[in-house]
Amino acid sequence: GNVYDVLPTRILSPHNTDKAIQNYNEIADKIVAKGHFGAYGLDDDHEMFRETFKKFAEDVVMPHAEHVHRHDDIIPEDIIGGLKDMGCFGLCIPESYGGIQPNDKPDNLSMLVVTEELSRGGLGIAGSLITRPEIMSKALLKGGTQEQKDKWLPLLASGERMAGIMVTEPNYGSDVAGVSVTAKPANGGWVINGVKTWCTFAGYANLLLILCRTESDPSLKHKGLSILLAEKPSFTGHEFTYTQPEGGKIEGKAIGTIGYRGMHSFEVSFDNYFVPAENLLGGEEGRGKGFYFQMEGFAGGRIQTAARAHGVMQAALEAALRYAQERAVFQKPIYEYNLTKYKIARMAVILQASRQFANHVANLLDDHKGQMEATLIKFYASKVAEWVTREAMQIHGGMGYAEEYAVSRYFVDARVFSIFEGAEEVMALRVIAKSLMDQYAAG
Ligand SMILES: Cc1cc2nc3c(=O)[nH]c(=O)nc-3n(C[C@H](O)[C@H](O)[C@H](O)COP(=O)(O)OP(=O)(O)OC[C@H]3O[C@@H](n4cnc5c(N)ncnc54)[C@H](O)[C@@H]3O)c2cc1C
């Protein structure tokens, strides 16, 4: 059952090219003979979980994936409803708050397994649905008052409240500390003014996490930021406007994207939008701590991005293998050529390595370790997803460039991973390198 049963440890033989080719051929032929790309290395419970969500992805998600992508549509209700019934939105919420995570310890591996299978079914219409509730619930668990946890976590777990995360602004993306949207004290609460951007699912969402500047002293930088939770009605279109009874207004317009379609990512403007005082995360104590609360969710978001990349890679790899066996060129299936076998085997090896690394990091995160490693695996999986989907497209020849083949969708979907949840350059320099230097300095 171990991954090495399918993938020999000694794959590359730099001093023996014939042996290296033979090793790759052997891997590819084993993949075909066994009908899978290698074991996932999960225990029975997680494997059962994986099978359940794999079936849901194949039965409910996949039939919608092409249509939504090509028409830039919204996620169909049967996907959201089905995932609510399965408790999916409560994956990162402890049982005592209505979720399905054990109370004593997080279970990041379950989250990875579910995310990968849903992303294999469709990145934009399923694979990313649990990212927002995860980021919001982690921030709530870290910084929320008891009343806030009791109120919002069960609503997030059941899917009654769908989350939108509003951190990025037109002038501040990687440089989160610069966030300029303001929240000023008003009668019984706060009023928000300014523009956020790239807020995924902000139209459909009815609960928004907004990182905003509550302290007017600019020298405070990231210590002047707080998190407000704002409610709004749910909308399904590419644009929305809502005026509150108090007169405040929120307006959103979706940004057209090449992939990652289904949730729509919005530019959103706030005009004196009112949020009651009780929705300041952490209460008065939470003022100026928004940056830290939101960071708590980001490690989870990053490892989840690795799982999303694995799901897209898996789908691309399966499509490539299928096409290679069906399509004959120079009188024989493309799969019969050594170079194709090499490509298939190499894609499988890289995907397996990335998946096993992510599983390891999930266990570290369960023990509240592995923050840097979560960024590292997000970086790696995002990068290799571009290569794997590129090779899968290449194996399809001209048809890889045709919209009618799903592999073209996998290619454009994969491109987003290196950009969101932290752009790769910033992750490399300011998180990974910095953390390694700090570790070195600490001996
Ligand atoms: C589809 C999509 C969905 C998104 N969803 C959300 C969401 O729901 N909520 C949300 O808040 N945000 C969301 N984002 C925003 C995303 O997190 C940002 O795009 C990302 O953080 C990068 O910020 P930026 O776009 O402003 O790029 P910039 O910060 O302008 O960076 C531009 C380039 O400069 C590089 N760079 C920056 N600093 C350095 C440096 N020091 N050295 C070298 N290079 C550097 C970056 O790596 C990048 O390549 C989403 C983005 C996309 C594309």
Side-chain angles (χ1 to χ4, degrees):
N2 189 290
V3 56
Y4 300 116
D5 179 35
V6 174
L7 304 178
T9 44
R10 197 170 57 83
I11 299 160
L12 282 168
S13 301
H15 306 300
N16 185 344
T17 316
D18 287 346
K19 181 66 185 156
I21 292 171
Q22 197 186 320
N23 283 342
Y24 277 108
N25 281 355
E26 194 186 319
I27 293 167
D29 287 340
K30 275 189 177 175
I31 287 169
V32 170
K34 289 177 179 257
H36 67 84
F37 294 85
Y40 284 64
L42 302 170
D43 59 33
D44 289 350
D45 287 347
H46 286 100
E47 185 57 33
M48 207 171 71
F49 216 47
R50 192 176 82 78
E51 288 296 332
T52 307
F53 281 90
K54 182 171 185 231
K55 184 163 170 22
F56 179 83
E58 288 174 356
D59 295 348
V60 185
V61 179
M62 283 184 187
H64 293 294
E66 275 306 300
H67 179 88
V68 172
H69 173 66
R70 286 216 232 154
H71 298 269
D72 196 13
D73 239 332
I74 189 88
I75 302 176
E77 276 300 326
D78 57 343
I79 296 181
I80 296 177
L83 292 178
K84 277 184 193 173
D85 292 345
M86 292 164 92
C88 203
F89 297 105
L91 265 169
C92 303
I93 297 178
E95 284 165 346
S96 54
Y97 292 109
I100 56 174
Q101 178 184 286
N103 283 331
D104 55 338
K105 207 175 174 191
D107 178 12
N108 283 288
L109 192 52
S110 288
M111 189 261 290
L112 286 194
V113 162
V114 172
T115 301
E116 174 170 346
E117 290 307 331
L118 293 179
S119 302
R120 174 176 167 267
L123 176 71
I125 59 171
S128 293
L129 266 173
I130 55 175
T131 317
R132 269 140 289 280
E134 161 157 18
I135 294 174
M136 191 180 279
S137 53
K138 288 243 160 84
L140 264 162
L141 285 164
K142 169 88 178 167
T145 62
Q146 194 55 50
E147 291 76 25
Q148 288 169 339
K149 291 180 201 170
D150 290 341
K151 177 174 177 182
W152 298 114
L153 289 172
L155 293 171
L156 284 171
S158 65
E160 281 169 80
R161 285 289 179 278
M162 298 300 278
I165 305 295
M166 298 190 162
V167 174
T168 308
E169 296 180 3
N171 289 326
Y172 298 100
S174 307
D175 183 10
V176 177
V179 157
S180 68
V181 163
T182 57
K184 296 228 155 71
N187 207 7
W190 301 83
V191 285
I192 304 181
N193 281 288
V195 179
K196 289 282 182 187
T197 194
W198 287 114
C199 310
T200 301
F201 219 33
Y204 194 93
N206 49 12
L207 185 64
L208 307 171
L209 177 157
I210 310 166
L211 185 69
C212 43
R213 195 160 289 283
T214 46
E215 314 309 309
S216 50
D217 178 358
S219 68
L220 286 172
K221 294 188 179 157
H222 65 288
K223 291 185 177 156
L225 302 175
S226 308
I227 286 177
L228 286 167
L229 299 178
E231 292 185 88
K232 68 174 255 304
S234 183
F235 300 93
T236 52
H238 289 79
E239 291 184 28
F240 65 86
T241 303
Y242 170 62
T243 305
Q244 295 176 304
E246 298 87 350
K249 200 168 162 188
I250 181 171
E251 281 181 287
K253 192 169 188 307
I255 303 165
T257 54
I258 57 172
Y260 192 58
R261 294 179 180 161
M263 311 184 87
H264 310 323
S265 297
F266 291 82
E267 177 153 300
V268 178
S269 64
F270 293 93
D271 180 10
N272 283 327
Y273 199 74
F274 178 77
V275 178
E278 74 227 34
N279 287 12
L280 172 68
L281 194 69
E284 274 301 304
E285 290 274 287
R287 274 179 79 156
K289 296 191 184 136
F291 182 84
Y292 303 101
F293 296 160
Q294 163 252 325
M295 282 296 160
E296 186 72 12
F298 270 22
R302 283 176 191 150
I303 195 176
Q304 212 182 88
T305 302
R308 291 189 274 185
H310 298 150
V312 172
M313 282 191 262
Q314 180 68 35
L317 183 49
E318 288 170 23
L321 179 59
R322 235 179 359 254
Y323 192 84
Q325 290 171 308
E326 282 162 18
R327 170 79 172 169
V329 184
F330 302 115
Q331 286 94 43
K332 67 176 184 177
I334 322 166
Y335 177 75
E336 299 295 327
Y337 295 102
N338 276 346
L339 185 53
T340 314
K341 289 192 184 190
Y342 167 79
K343 283 177 187 241
I344 297 280
R346 188 136 179 76
M347 289 153 83
V349 168
I350 284 174
L351 171 54
Q352 275 291 20
S354 190
R355 186 183 278 134
Q356 300 304 322
F357 185 1
N359 290 354
H360 171 67
V361 178
N363 292 330
L364 291 180
L365 289 180
D366 286 354
D367 291 329
H368 304 286
K369 293 185 281 193
Q371 302 286 317
M372 185 275 284
E373 287 83 352
T375 307
L376 198 58
I377 189 59
K378 186 268 183 193
F379 180 102
Y380 179 76
S382 303
K383 196 98 177 161
V384 294
E386 287 170 30
W387 184 81
V388 166
T389 54
R390 186 249 183 226
E391 288 300 280
M393 182 187 248
Q394 191 69 17
I395 285 174
H396 282 70
M399 295 319 286
Y401 206 60
E403 277 208 316
E404 67 183 270
Y405 273 80
V407 76
S408 62
R409 169 166 52 91
Y410 304 145
F411 181 71
V412 287
D413 278 352
R415 192 57 195 83
V416 78
F417 299 129
S418 298
I419 298 172
F420 67 15
E421 304 282 350
E424 72 182 7
E425 296 78 3
V426 178
M427 296 300 93
L429 295 170
R430 301 182 77 98
V431 181
I432 300 166
K434 183 174 178 306
S435 167
L436 291 173
M437 302 274 278
D438 289 349
Q439 280 177 33
Y440 177 76

